[in-house]
Amino acid sequence: MTSPVLPSHGRVRPLGLAQVSLTGGFWGERQAVNAAQTLAHCETWMERLGWLANFDRVADGTTGPDRPGWSFSDSEVYKLLEALSWEVARSGDAEAEAAIKRLTARVARAQDQDGYLNTCFGHGDQPPRYSDLEMGHELYNTGHLLQAAVARLRTAGEDDLVRVARRAADHVCRTFGPGGTAAICGHPEIEVGMAEFGRATGEQRYVEQARLFLDRRGHGTLRDIPLGRAYFQDDVPIREADVWRGHAVRALYLAAAAVDVAVELGDDDLLRAIERQWERTVARRTYVTGGMGSRHQDEGFGEDWELPPDRAYCETCAGVASIMVSWRLYLATGDVRYADLIERTLYNVVAVSPSTDGRAFFYANPLHQRVAGRPADQDEVSPRAEAGVRAPWFDVSCCPTNVARTLAGLHGYLATTDDDGLQIHQYASCSVRAELPGGQPVAVDVETAYPQAGTVRVRIAADADTPWTLTLRVPAWADGATLTEGGQTRPVRPGPAQVRRAFRAGEEIVLELPMQPRLTWPDPRIDAVRGCVAVERGPEVLCVESNDLPSPDLLESLVLDPGSAPRAAEGAVLVRGRALDLADRPWAYPAGPLDEQGDDDWFDVPLRPYHGWARRGPSSMRIFVPVAPQERTGA
């Protein structure tokens, strides 16, 4: 099965890349750009910066302290290899296949005889192996190597990359297994890599090693740092934690691994712990975009309700990791709330990052940009994650390769089956060809212009000998949805909408999702946006950009009239708004309320999908906009 995640059991079974194919539309177009542009772009930058040559220098015995790149730069090569593997499975692209073999050969030459593989430690004048488990990322890098090997094993079978990964995994088990060094890595990733590699190879000892790493965490094993052990998730045992905290990507990778281990080992208590953490984090520590991570200092979660829009970090990698966790939880439980969060995160974090041409990216995804960024130099590495423009590459460039591997394998997250039928979770134009356990074929073609339009047309492509159930997810926001089948239309509530019968080829089931724009109000405990409102349409969060206003500086004084219903217009949603009188004053804190009424010169404020911001050039932007004063007071 060519699936990024393949549990041995669960409530539903994922359909792989050989069973689902995107045929166009929003995600099909992005996947095609990823294949045509992003994959080669990533390899070019890693070659240019010497990250690939690091492997050559280890193999040749010429490496040393002058090695370019951060300690985790090896992992970007592995994520690219994973993306290339999914792409070859999708398209059979000969250039992608050649790139896999080319990169694998360079990686393999750098592997030590005992399986250790790293270009930053353990060679020449470099620090010794595993001498900086807090920040050295050695096991983190190995985890991404294993995930790349999973992709290759499931799509092409045993090859040199898989053999390199086996030797690396065996080395990890010998070094850190029972009777070995009782240690963990400062950046979780080895856990999810070992668990999935264990599934793919059938080697249970790899899954057991993942469990061992999980059980060691949370006991103060790592050296304390100024940011605290919560940064590493080494402050509280994973089974006892109630919420995700610390570095967001680290926390989410660890949670994904915990679901894998819980499912494979039948550990219901561990699974419930991750469900509990998901619930509180989503309810109190997640942005309306689905983004996670509100603090720049540690790229991490804040406290409950600490969700400032202008200081939102919402790293693209955290969005990818959130999808990894939610997908695993959905496969284990069948609860559609996990698919709802995946949809929100896909459209409002992952889709935000890459440029239209697939060769520049956002690293952080703030919900409010106060000052327009400067155009990025397309030939320079960006030293900053928060520049307000998409950059071609970063000093820490984890996000481009994470976007690449996610888009390359995205169709592996669209649909599942169980013993009774087929479930479609994310709406995109696609073809699904699968078989139920009893041998019953299920074949459908999905046509939709989603998210621009709310019509999802599912056409049955094969006759059924026996009845089976088609389940379509009605998103949590979709009050007023309808389902039409057999000439009859009925309302369907948010959640699973099902049709069961012995289908005949040519039949159509049509889901109509309400796409009228809607106002979204934040919980009043989110102090940073109290008195503000956001606008959403379908799965897309909308934003106001300065270049859509009569004057760019109006953005800081803009207020909206929530009594005016948002209405769709060509390429935008319009809401009535006006500018407050915000004249400069010698002191920002007067003794009494400011007279900020301004005039009554109302105008239509265009809002557009957040995933498209800054594509027309640098701009200031905001998602949450204050409500006009008279509406706030009820006047």
Side-chain angles (χ1 to χ4, degrees), residues 227-242:
L227 293 171
R229 288 196 176 95
Y231 179 77
F232 307 122
Q233 293 73 51
D234 194 30
D235 56 330
V236 180
I238 192 167
R239 297 169 188 275
E240 299 175 15
D242 292 321

Side-chain angles (χ1 to χ4, degrees), residues 357-441:
D357 67 1
R359 294 183 293 176
F361 308 87
F362 276 139
Y363 188 111
N365 296 283
L367 282 69
H368 184 178
Q369 182 74 27
R370 292 183 178 273
V371 178
R374 296 180 180 179
D377 188 329
Q378 297 305 302
D379 292 322
E380 295 294 330
V381 172
S382 174
R384 297 183 58 233
E386 317 90 9
V389 293
R390 294 172 180 85
W393 204 250
F394 300 93
D395 186 36
V396 175
S397 235
C398 49
C399 295
T401 50
N402 241 342
V403 168
R405 67 173 181 148
T406 301
L407 291 178
L410 183 62
H411 43 310
Y413 295 88
L414 301 186
T416 57
T417 59
D418 59 14
D419 290 347
D420 188 52
L422 169 70
Q423 304 85 40
I424 300 176
H425 313 292
Q426 306 302 330
Y427 296 120
S429 293
C430 65
S431 174
V432 180
R433 300 290 185 271
E435 188 175 279
L436 300 183
Q440 171 65 59

Side-chain angles (χ1 to χ4, degrees), residues 160-180:
D160 287 344
L161 179 59
V162 177
R163 286 187 281 272
V164 166
R166 283 183 186 274
R167 291 193 292 271
D170 290 342
H171 163 78
V172 170
C173 289
R174 287 194 305 270
T175 306
F176 296 98

Side-chain angles (χ1 to χ4, degrees), residues 188-357:
E189 167 61 21
I190 185 62
E191 298 88 350
V192 71
M194 290 294 278
E196 199 66 50
F197 194 57
R199 289 168 169 169
T201 60
E203 291 281 359
Q204 186 69 13
R205 59 198 175 93
Y206 297 153
V207 179
E208 290 290 348
Q209 182 63 49
R211 179 197 60 77
L212 190 58
F213 280 135
L214 287 169
D215 288 345
R216 286 174 182 165
R217 195 172 294 270
H219 300 282
T221 301
L222 296 168
R223 182 180 69 249
D224 203 2
I225 61 173
L227 293 171
R229 288 196 176 95
Y231 179 77
F232 307 122
Q233 293 73 51
D234 194 30
D235 56 330
V236 180
I238 192 167
R239 297 169 188 275
E240 299 175 15
D242 292 321
V243 71
W244 293 327
R245 67 236 171 270
H247 189 277
V249 179
R250 284 170 162 85
L252 292 162
Y253 280 174
L254 188 70
V259 178
D260 287 340
V261 169
V263 169
E264 294 309 306
L265 302 183
D267 192 334
D268 293 341
D269 288 342
L270 181 57
L271 182 62
R272 282 192 292 269
I274 304 305
E275 291 183 274
R276 180 178 71 242
Q277 293 160 26
W278 186 95
E279 289 170 356
R280 179 169 161 186
T281 302
V282 170
R284 300 186 176 201
R285 300 188 178 190
T286 300
Y287 284 92
V288 68
T289 58
M292 294 184 180
S294 58
R295 292 181 177 176
H296 286 231
Q297 66 177 3
D298 60 352
E299 299 182 311
F301 291 99
E303 300 298 329
D304 289 353
W305 317 114
E306 184 187 335
L307 296 166
D310 52 348
R311 293 299 295 164
Y313 200 69
C314 293
E315 185 181 341
T316 298
C317 286
V320 169
S322 171
I323 291 167
M324 290 170 59
V325 179
S326 290
W327 182 239
R328 286 162 167 79
L329 285 171
Y330 175 75
L331 295 177
T333 68
D335 192 329
V336 296
R337 59 182 176 164
Y338 300 120
D340 281 342
L341 183 63
I342 290 173
E343 177 182 73
R344 181 173 294 275
T345 308
L346 279 172
Y347 283 104
N348 303 295
V349 179
V350 174
V352 182
S353 179
S355 61
T356 305
D357 67 1

